[in-house]
Amino acid sequence: MELVDKIKDLMSFPPVASEHGKSMDDFIVYVHVLMAVLFVGWFAYFLYALFRFRHVKNPKASYTGAQTSFSTYAEVAVAVAEVILLVSLAIPLWATVVDSDKFPTEKDKPLVIKVTAQQFAWNARYPGKDGAFGKQDIKFVAPDNKFGVDKNDPNTKDDFESAINLMHVPSDRKVIIHLSSLDVIHCFKVVPLRITQDAIPGLMIPMHFKAVKEGKYMITCAQLCGNGHATMRGNITVLSQSDYDKWEADIAAKAKDTATSFE
Ligand SMILES: [Cu+2]
């Protein structure tokens, strides 16, 4: 709807680069419109009440107060509008983005990446040609093995890590990120992709998205995670599938040791 887009411009929404981003922005606009209507409506009512019940005309306080049902009807109307927003927009949108039933399946041929946050950087691990990750275990975690990869697992052989803070994904293809943390709680946030997920030590939390616009987008940490929190930035580059394949072949060729990061 054109009006919705105009309001987005007015509110200076950042550009959207993911499939679900538009409906998320639309929803934010609807909520703001409702809030604007409430603000104007209740403020007008407040001014009216100030004037209508002014001291000069009402020297003695009324102990019964106003007897109309206007505010009751208004409250019910607001509640109905909020229920409509919640049930028809918010819950379905949440389900599309978060619900495990709606996750990309085998037939979507998603790219699966493992991301581990640490103070104060992002590490990303890719499954390589075979599409399968080597086994991981907490007992293998070491300064040079942040993902705790079992180096003897044959699936580990073609896995590779991208350079620290630099991730690449293809556009127009589903991406699943399994997110974890080495130390404290971090939060993986990419504003143009409209994705935000806490990274919690001991948990591997999946999230998914489909980028639809090529470009280089900033990854930020959205949880205050220590002194270097503000410097915990990375880049996620969205490439066409063919450029992504080239990047992957290139970086995989450079990988001498599967548990090391490469520029
Ligand atoms: Cu952080």
Side-chain angles (χ1 to χ4, degrees):
M1 200 204 290
E2 252 180 48
L3 181 65
V4 173
D5 291 332
K6 283 212 176 86
I7 297 174
K8 281 181 202 166
D9 285 346
L10 208 68
M11 291 170 70
S12 303
F13 274 40
V16 188
S18 68
E19 195 181 36
H20 70 274
K22 190 190 169 304
S23 25
M24 198 173 271
D25 288 2
D26 288 352
F27 180 67
I28 292 172
V29 168
Y30 300 144
V31 170
H32 278 79
V33 167
L34 176 63
M35 290 303 128
V37 169
L38 289 187
F39 178 75
V40 172
W42 286 130
F43 199 70
Y45 186 61
F46 172 64
L47 291 180
Y48 165 76
L50 279 183
F51 174 76
R52 170 72 179 75
F53 303 106
R54 65 195 182 280
H55 175 64
V56 187
K57 289 274 178 184
N58 304 272
K60 191 163 177 283
S62 157
Y63 291 102
T64 50
Q67 298 295 305
T68 70
S69 307
F70 169 74
S71 61
T72 311
Y73 292 135
E75 282 292 2
V76 170
V78 171
V80 168
E82 284 171 350
V83 167
I84 291 173
L85 280 181
L86 193 65
V87 175
S88 70
L89 292 167
I91 294 174
L93 181 58
W94 179 89
T96 319
V97 183
V98 184
D99 195 357
S100 54
D101 290 349
K102 303 278 168 60
F103 258 69
T105 54
E106 284 291 309
K107 69 172 173 33
D108 297 310
K109 298 196 168 56
L111 170 69
V112 184
I113 308 173
K114 294 200 169 168
V115 172
T116 285
Q118 67 177 108
Q119 288 173 318
F120 299 95
W122 301 100
N123 306 281
R125 189 169 179 86
Y126 293 72
K129 275 240 148 27
D130 63 357
F133 285 100
K135 278 198 206 86
Q136 285 173 275
D137 198 302
I138 200 98
K139 70 180 178 212
F140 297 123
V141 173
D144 67 342
N145 190 353
K146 288 169 188 161
F147 289 83
V149 180
D150 179 353
K151 292 181 187 173
N152 295 319
D153 184 342
N155 281 336
T156 303
K157 286 223 155 47
D158 65 346
D159 296 1
F160 64 90
E161 286 173 32
S162 60
I164 202 155
N165 290 328
L166 296 177
M167 293 175 60
H168 289 65
V169 294
S171 68
D172 299 311
R173 181 175 162 199
K174 296 270 188 190
V175 176
I176 299 177
I177 290 178
H178 292 276
L179 189 63
S180 193
S181 171
L182 269 183
D183 36 46
V184 300
I185 297 176
H186 299 273
C187 182
F188 185 85
K189 187 180 189 85
V190 184
V191 173
L193 297 175
R194 303 292 191 272
I195 50 172
T196 304
Q197 173 62 56
D198 274 1
I200 300 171
L203 292 183
M204 188 77 90
I205 304 174
M207 64 194 298
H208 69 98
F209 62 91
K210 188 203 238 179
V212 289
K213 207 162 127 199
E214 289 170 35
K216 195 173 182 182
Y217 308 115
M218 191 194 278
I219 305 166
T220 47
C221 180
Q223 288 281 14
L224 188 53
C225 58
N227 280 343
H229 165 68
T231 63
M232 193 167 164
R233 284 171 308 208
N235 279 320
I236 181 163
T237 305
V238 177
L239 304 163
S240 67
Q241 181 66 50
S242 59
D243 284 347
Y244 173 80
D245 290 340
K246 265 181 236 154
W247 172 80
E248 189 183 286
D250 195 40
I251 197 160
K254 280 185 199 158
K256 292 177 235 90
D257 181 332
T258 52
T260 317
S261 303
F262 300 94
E263 292 300 330

